[in-house]
C-alpha cells in the first residue's frame, strides 16, 4: 500500500500502513530545525516494546538523519550523556523502500546525498549545527557563541560542545 498523505488543517500528516503507535509511530518534533515530525521505530524483537531501544528518523534540510534512544522504560537519554539527547547522524544512503523511505520522501529528504569532500556533513548537533568531517577531524560551529570546535571523534566533539 502506498503512503497516504492526509491534509489536516492545512498541514500534511505522514500516514503509513505500518504505523501502529507502538513499534512504529510518529512523534512531534521538538526542534525547529527539523523539516517535519520524527519517525520512531523499534526492532520487533520480544514482546515488550517499552524495553527495546528506539531509532528515531527525521529530515533536516534534505538530509535523512537518525539517532538511537534507550528504551522508554529507562529514560529519554543514555546514562553516559548526562541528560543530553543524542545528536542526529546523517544517513548517507537512505533506503528506497519501506516506511523510512516513505517518511524521508514525505519530509523532502533526498534518496541519495551527493558526497562533497569540501563540506562532508556527517550529522547535526543539538541546535541543528552541521557536523562536518574533513581530513579526519570533526568540526562544528556552536550557535550559542559562534565558537568553532574540532576533535578527532564525535564523542570528543560532543564533550567540547557541552563543556
Amino acid at each position: 500500500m502506498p503512503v497516504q498523505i492526509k491534509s489536516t488543517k492545512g498541514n500534511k500528516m505522514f500516514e503509513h500502513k505500518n504505523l501502529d503507535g507502538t513499534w512504529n509511530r510518529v512523534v512531534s518534533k521538538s526542534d525547529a530545525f527539523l523539516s517535519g515530525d520524527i519517525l520512531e521505530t523499534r526492532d520487533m524483537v520480544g514482546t515488550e516494546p517499552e524495553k527495546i531501544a528506539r531509532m528515531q528518523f527525521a529530515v533536516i534540510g534534505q538530509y535523512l538523519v537518525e539517532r538511537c534512544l534507550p528504551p522508554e522504560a529507562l529514560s529519554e537519554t543514555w546514562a553516559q550523556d548526562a541528560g543530553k539527547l543524542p545528536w542526529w547522524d546523517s544517513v548517507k544512503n537512505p533506503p528506497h523502500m519501506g516506511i523510512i523511505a516513505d517518511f524521508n520522501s514525505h519530509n523532502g529528504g533526498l534518496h541519495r546525498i551527493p558526497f562533497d569532500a569540501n563540506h562532508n556533513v556527517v550529522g547535526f548537533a543539538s541546535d541543528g549545527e552541521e557536523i562536518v568531517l574533513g581530513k579526519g577531524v570533526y568540526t562544528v560551529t556552536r550557535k550559542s557563541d559562534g565558537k568553532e570546535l574540532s576533535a578527532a571523534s564525535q564523542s570528543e566533539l560532543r564533550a567540547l560542545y557541552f563543556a
Side-chain angles (χ1 to χ4, degrees):
M1 178 176 168
V3 175
Q4 297 173 4
I5 300 172
K6 179 173 121 181
S7 222
T8 308
K9 294 183 184 175
N11 297 327
K12 290 183 179 178
M13 204 170 109
F14 177 72
E15 290 187 2
H16 195 278
K17 66 178 180 166
N18 293 337
L19 286 175
D20 62 7
T22 303
W23 298 99
N24 298 300
R25 65 184 179 182
V26 173
V27 295
S28 296
K29 69 179 179 176
S30 56
D31 299 307
F33 57 85
L34 298 177
S35 297
D37 288 327
I38 299 168
L39 173 65
E40 186 173 274
T41 66
R42 292 179 176 82
D43 285 334
M44 295 181 84
V45 294
T47 57
E48 299 175 89
E50 67 279 358
K51 294 183 179 178
I52 298 171
R54 301 166 283 156
M55 286 300 298
Q56 289 190 333
F57 297 90
V59 174
I60 300 174
Q62 294 181 317
Y63 289 90
L64 177 66
V65 293
E66 65 183 0
R67 66 182 177 190
C68 183
L69 297 179
E72 285 176 298
L74 295 179
S75 174
E76 282 298 305
T77 60
W78 296 101
Q80 72 272 14
D81 262 344
K84 308 279 190 226
L85 280 171
W87 285 350
W88 294 99
D89 292 323
S90 295
V91 179
K92 290 298 180 193
N93 292 304
H96 290 274
M97 295 177 60
I99 189 170
I100 298 167
D102 294 341
F103 178 82
N104 183 37
S105 294
H106 173 77
N107 287 297
L110 297 175
H111 283 292
R112 181 161 304 203
I113 304 297
F115 177 69
D116 180 352
N118 296 315
H119 192 74
N120 183 19
V121 178
V122 295
F124 295 86
S126 296
D127 286 332
E129 305 99 321
E130 291 180 343
I131 301 166
V132 178
L133 175 62
K135 298 182 181 174
V137 176
Y138 294 91
T139 304
V140 66
T141 302
R142 193 169 42 205
K143 271 188 186 173
S144 63
D145 60 6
K147 186 173 183 179
E148 184 176 285
L149 306 168
S150 296
S153 71
Q154 283 196 48
S155 58
E156 290 175 37
L157 185 63
R158 192 168 163 81
L160 289 172
Y161 182 93
F162 289 115

